[in-house]
Amino acid sequence: MIKQVLIGVLCGAAVLTAGILIGHFGITMSSAPSWVKDVAKDVDESLIEKFLSEVDNIQIQENLRSLTKVPHMATTAGDEQTVQLMLKRWQDPETGLDQAWREEFMVYLSFPDPKKPNKVTVVSPSDEVLYTAREKEKTYTSDQDDPEVVQPYAAYSPAGHPKGKLVYANQGKPSDYQLLNNTVDLRGTIAITRYGGAGRGAKAINAAPYGVIGVLVYTDPLDINDGLMSDINETYPHSWYMPPSGVERGSFNGQFGDMLTPYLAPKMVGCKLILTCFSIGHFSELGGKAAPAQWQGAFNCTYNFGGPGFQNPSAFNNSDVKLDIFNYEEKKNSSNVMGVIKGSVEPDRYVIYGNHRDSWVHGAIDPSSGTSVMLELTRVLGKMVKQGKWRPRRSIIFGSWGAEEFGLIGSAEYTEQYFTKLSERTVAYINVDIAVFANATLRASGMPSLQKIIFKAAKQVDAPGLDSTSVYDNWIQYSNRTSQANGLIPNVGYLSGAGIIDFCLMTMWSKTNARIYPAYHTAYDTFDYASKFIDPGFVSHQAIARTAGNVLIRLADSLLVPLNCSDYAETLEDYLNTAVTLYQHQLQERNISMEPLKRAVASFRSAATHLDQVIRSSDLANETPLTVRRINDQLMLLDRAFLDPLAFPDKYAYRHVIWASSSAGKPTFPGLADAFANAESQSSAWDKVHYHLSVLSQAIEGAAHTLGDVI
């Protein structure tokens, strides 16, 4: 009996104890602060579905209509109108952001003098004007008649009046001038070059060592119009092709940011550069002999080189070409418009989404297609925030950059001003500049670690105009590659930067030779052009908004930052294999070993594999917040490990040893490729090759260490 009583008492005590514990922890959990759940929360797939459904093509269309009412070159009255438009939208009490403001920078810009227009003339030996090139583009709609349409010019081209015999220099590449110089003495000549092959400024800089005193740049119908050039029935306003009088404006500044701030290259001197069309009737009269086949364009004549000057007989025999350039420089206030959605859990981690706002004229495609998409993203996301339905885990910063066309000034100045904070806290930057310039397939560029999230987003968006086909399926059909780890995948391009994604819908290059849309930087890049020939119905803009917005939400809201370091490892291995194939034999002959680089890449692969295993085996939703934060920091800081401020002393602003620019044109490490190319022509430069091998090895080993376990 006593035994039964004791058992009953013990059981009752156990039940009572269990009840107390359950009640205690039930009360504790129910009274836990809301952040406990927020910290472990992952991206909400239903919210992404809602976002995709609410992105409206008609809203994007009306955004573009508003943005392109007037020309809005940087710092003009039209530019100020776009500033006010952005602020009004981002400060809207129902669909705006948490905060929005303007930031002004005093920057050094270059303009043509409206009272003394730049001129290109053909003059006789006695300076009689025999011919004057057209100064403005032909009017087809009222847009071209707007008094604020700027004359075609090259920003930062110095003022002056060079005069000399005309020579044709193809694309103005170093090899073009070298070949031409073998035929004719270039000292004192004016070179005419076509777009492509080299940057605007480079066409003049490349000419300077040969004594060329002026450079004209024109757009050849072969390079932009597939050879078509009649505005009666072939070009705009009948199609997307550039009319005969169209001129691509641009900047001579080859650097990033304001030219008067401390971190800049010296001012470029030498050639005078103006962008203008040159009459085909006179182009065909150039002297010399037939240029090589690869120099020939679409005009109905033989492209001659040599000379110099015009052939005999010709109405312009013994005549010169004269450039009268009246550009002037001025310091002016330029505005960035900034907006923020504050993060709920990690407000000190930033996902930045940006695009420039200024254009050379109306800029319907460049950049307003991107701005109209950004305004729609912020409308949809802002509405969710204002209604209390969503707040991202991390903060989202939106940037509408000013004065970018003059040399990426707005974004560079913003980065310089907030460099320390941004370098410590930024997860990724998404850029959507030209959102759409055709409707065939997606073009996406970014770090290898970002490709899987881009693929995931593209699979969730319908391709414009194609039933039951995703953006991903359409993309892989037109642009793909084979990955050792992932099989056949869409081809993601690489950018000269870190932590960056760039999106646009582009054309199928198999159907056109155009290097970009034909109205680029001309007075014909208008709402009329965009709505008739680029994206009728604006469904391609909608697809880009959905794709880029999907990626933005995932980067800002995922518990684990969606970056994949194993994909990065595969790219490094591909680069290494190419480098070994191209360079190892000659390096061995000079007792330069590639073994340290091979070991570094192997270390990175090992560390990436280990971190992937850690992530897969972890129940991150139930881990301590600091564990998740540690892994996220490893992923976020990976690209910082590749930065070396001393790696490229001759390349302004480039520090990333994997993604710097390269002139060698090889699919491998840029510094090594350029150093090797230079060493082949200069035997004293092999030490530089050795140096870049050391820089690479150290950077990749350092990146591997960031992926390893904490010491």
Side-chain angles (χ1 to χ4, degrees):
M1 176 66 72
I2 294 174
K3 182 177 180 181
Q4 290 175 336
V5 170
L6 287 173
I7 292 173
V9 170
L10 290 172
C11 288
V15 171
L16 178 62
T17 301
I20 292 171
L21 290 172
I22 291 171
H24 169 74
F25 283 105
I27 293 170
T28 301
M29 292 302 291
S30 64
S31 62
S34 60
W35 61 261
V36 173
K37 291 183 179 179
D38 291 340
V39 164
K41 188 178 179 181
D42 205 350
V43 66
D44 185 348
E45 293 293 337
S46 65
L47 181 132
I48 290 180
E49 290 293 332
K50 180 175 176 58
F51 165 80
L52 296 177
S53 69
E54 292 195 4
V55 172
D56 189 342
N57 60 306
I58 302 303
Q59 288 279 355
I60 297 173
Q61 172 185 289
E62 295 312 305
N63 290 343
L64 190 68
R65 193 191 305 274
S66 298
L67 288 162
T68 57
K69 284 182 178 178
V70 296
H72 48 283
M73 190 166 66
T75 73
T76 64
D79 185 30
E80 179 60 23
Q81 288 186 33
T82 63
V83 168
Q84 295 301 323
L85 173 63
M86 303 297 293
L87 287 172
K88 181 180 179 181
R89 298 289 185 88
W90 287 356
Q91 292 174 347
D92 187 282
E94 295 183 357
T95 59
L97 308 176
D98 289 329
Q99 288 179 276
W101 65 96
R102 70 190 297 164
E103 295 193 359
E104 291 192 344
F105 301 91
M106 184 67 74
V107 297
Y108 182 74
L109 303 181
S110 167
F111 303 98
D113 188 337
K115 296 179 180 178
K116 293 187 291 185
N118 296 333
K119 292 182 181 294
V120 179
T121 55
V122 179
V123 297
S124 69
S126 61
D127 269 354
E128 177 189 359
V129 175
L130 304 177
Y131 170 78
T132 301
R134 189 184 188 103
E135 296 173 14
K136 292 186 176 182
E137 291 145 310
K138 183 177 176 179
T139 295
Y140 297 100
T141 70
S142 60
D143 295 308
Q144 289 88 52
D145 275 335
D146 192 302
E148 294 302 312
V149 172
V150 69
Q151 177 197 14
Y153 80 114
Y156 302 106
S157 173
H161 308 277
K163 182 176 70 172
K165 294 290 187 289
L166 187 67
V167 293
Y168 172 51
N170 193 29
Q171 295 178 321
K173 303 187 299 290
S175 59
D176 293 333
Y177 286 114
Q178 185 175 1
L179 178 61
L180 185 59
N181 194 56
N182 292 337
T183 306
V184 62
D185 185 352
L186 291 176
R187 288 175 296 180
T189 61
I190 304 287
I192 182 169
T193 71
R194 60 184 187 178
Y195 265 111
R200 299 181 191 94
K203 294 176 189 296
I205 293 170
N206 296 339
Y210 297 96
V212 175
I213 59 172
V215 175
L216 286 158
V217 183
Y218 80 100
T219 302
D220 197 280
L222 179 67
D223 302 324
I224 204 74
N225 272 16
D226 297 317
L228 302 177
M229 62 189 85
S230 171
D231 63 353
I232 296 175
N233 57 5
E234 293 177 332
T235 69
Y236 183 78
H238 309 286
S239 74
W240 83 321
Y241 289 117
M242 185 173 77
S245 66
V247 183
E248 180 181 323
R249 296 151 180 81
S251 176
F252 186 70
N253 178 13
Q255 309 305 330
F256 309 131
D258 178 35
M259 293 179 71
L260 297 185
T261 52
Y263 188 45
L264 54 86
K267 282 190 178 181
M268 294 172 287
V269 297
C271 293
K272 320 293 185 192
L273 173 63
I274 182 172
L275 311 186
T276 186
C277 286
F278 198 79
S279 168
I280 178 55
H282 309 315
F283 191 95
S284 64
E285 296 179 42
L286 280 175
K289 61 182 181 180
Q294 61 270 28
W295 287 38
Q296 300 297 319
F299 290 133
N300 188 26
C301 66
T302 299
Y303 288 43
N304 291 337
F305 79 150
F310 297 96
Q311 60 188 248
N312 186 14
S314 164
F316 299 140
N317 182 40
N318 204 31
S319 297
D320 291 329
V321 168
K322 185 181 181 184
L323 312 184
D324 289 301
I325 314 301
F326 300 99
N327 292 348
Y328 68 97
E329 289 73 44
E330 183 179 3
K331 291 177 68 175
K332 299 189 71 174
N333 270 323
S334 177
S335 296
N336 291 337
V337 181
M338 307 303 302
V340 170
I341 297 177
K342 295 179 182 177
S344 59
V345 178
E346 300 179 84
D348 64 329
R349 290 292 179 262
Y350 310 146
V351 179
I352 306 175
Y353 184 109
N355 175 37
H356 74 97
R357 185 187 64 258
D358 66 301
S359 64
W360 287 114
V361 194
H362 292 85
I365 303 304
D366 180 17
S368 299
S369 63
T371 307
S372 62
V373 163
M374 180 162 62
L375 283 172
E376 177 61 1
L377 293 187
T378 56
R379 182 190 70 83
V380 176
L381 297 179
K383 183 179 178 181
M384 291 178 177
V385 171
K386 295 293 186 182
Q387 293 178 346
K389 296 179 179 179
W390 174 72
R391 183 165 292 280
R393 179 185 187 90
R394 303 173 187 92
S395 294
I396 302 175
I397 299 174
F398 293 96
S400 175
W401 315 123
E404 290 289 278
E405 291 289 11
F406 286 85
L408 308 182
I409 292 177
S411 58
E413 294 304 303
Y414 173 78
T415 304
E416 289 173 0
Q417 179 166 347
Y418 301 105
F419 176 78
T420 302
K421 181 165 67 172
L422 294 175
S423 63
E424 295 294 329
R425 300 179 180 180
T426 304
V427 174
Y429 174 70
I430 300 175
N431 186 73
V432 182
D433 181 342
I434 299 176
V436 177
F437 65 84
N439 61 359
T441 187
L442 181 70
R443 180 181 72 182
S445 302
M447 298 299 102
S449 52
L450 289 160
Q451 69 177 16
K452 280 189 169 64
I453 185 179
I454 299 174
F455 295 161
K456 189 169 187 176
K459 289 176 180 178
Q460 292 184 288
V461 177
D462 293 333
L466 299 174
D467 295 333
S468 303
T469 301
S470 69
V471 167
Y472 178 91
D473 292 335
N474 187 55
W475 182 14
I476 200 172
Q477 178 182 351
Y478 290 109
S479 178
N480 58 62
R481 69 180 183 89
T482 300
S483 160
Q484 185 174 355
N486 303 304
L488 188 69
I489 57 175
N491 188 44
V492 176
Y494 299 140
L495 289 170
S496 297
I500 298 174
I501 314 172
D502 185 86
F503 291 103
C504 80
L505 275 171
M506 57 179 264
T507 187
M508 290 176 284
W509 298 123
S510 60
K511 293 187 176 182
T512 178
N513 289 324
R515 57 186 175 83
I516 199 167
Y517 69 99
Y520 177 69
H521 286 193
T522 73
Y524 307 112
D525 188 0
T526 61
F527 180 83
D528 179 73
Y529 179 83
S531 60
K532 288 181 179 177
F533 302 116
I534 298 296
D535 188 19
F538 287 81
V539 291
S540 293
H541 283 76
Q542 183 183 44
I544 283 293
R546 287 170 168 169
T547 305
N550 191 334
V551 172
L552 173 64
I553 293 171
R554 293 183 184 282
L555 284 167
D557 223 14
S558 295
L559 176 62
L560 190 74
V561 175
L563 303 176
N564 187 287
C565 47
S566 288
D567 285 342
Y568 218 131
E570 182 174 326
T571 297
L572 295 180
E573 289 165 347
D574 289 343
Y575 271 23
L576 174 65
N577 291 337
T578 299
V580 168
T581 301
L582 293 175
Y583 310 136
Q584 181 168 264
H585 178 69
Q586 291 190 55
L587 293 179
Q588 286 177 337
E589 292 180 344
R590 291 165 176 81
N591 295 319
I592 300 175
S593 174
M594 297 189 73
E595 293 307 311
L597 180 58
K598 294 177 183 178
R599 289 195 296 269
V601 172
S603 294
F604 187 93
R605 166 59 79 178
S606 177
T609 300
H610 175 70
L611 183 58
D612 279 352
Q613 291 172 344
V614 169
I615 292 171
R616 284 195 299 268
S617 62
S618 299
D619 182 7
L620 294 176
N622 293 309
E623 289 281 0
T624 65
L626 288 179
T627 299
V628 177
R629 177 82 166 201
R630 173 179 61 81
I631 296 174
N632 278 339
D633 281 354
Q634 287 177 286
L635 295 170
M636 182 186 77
L637 297 173
L638 169 60
D639 265 296
R640 273 70 156 184
F642 293 116
L643 302 180
D644 186 333
L646 302 178
F648 307 104
D650 58 335
K651 292 181 180 180
Y652 177 71
Y654 286 103
R655 298 187 296 156
H656 200 293
V657 301
I658 311 299
W659 307 121
S661 66
S662 172
S663 57
K666 304 295 183 183
T668 187
F669 307 108
L672 177 61
D674 287 354
F676 188 91
N678 291 334
E680 285 187 304
S681 59
Q682 304 175 32
S683 59
S684 61
W686 287 103
D687 285 346
K688 196 69 172 178
V689 178
H690 197 178
Y691 171 75
H692 272 286
L693 277 170
S694 301
V695 165
L696 272 173
S697 302
Q698 178 172 291
I700 295 171
E701 283 282 6
H705 293 323
T706 68
L707 300 180
D709 292 333
V710 176
I711 296 174

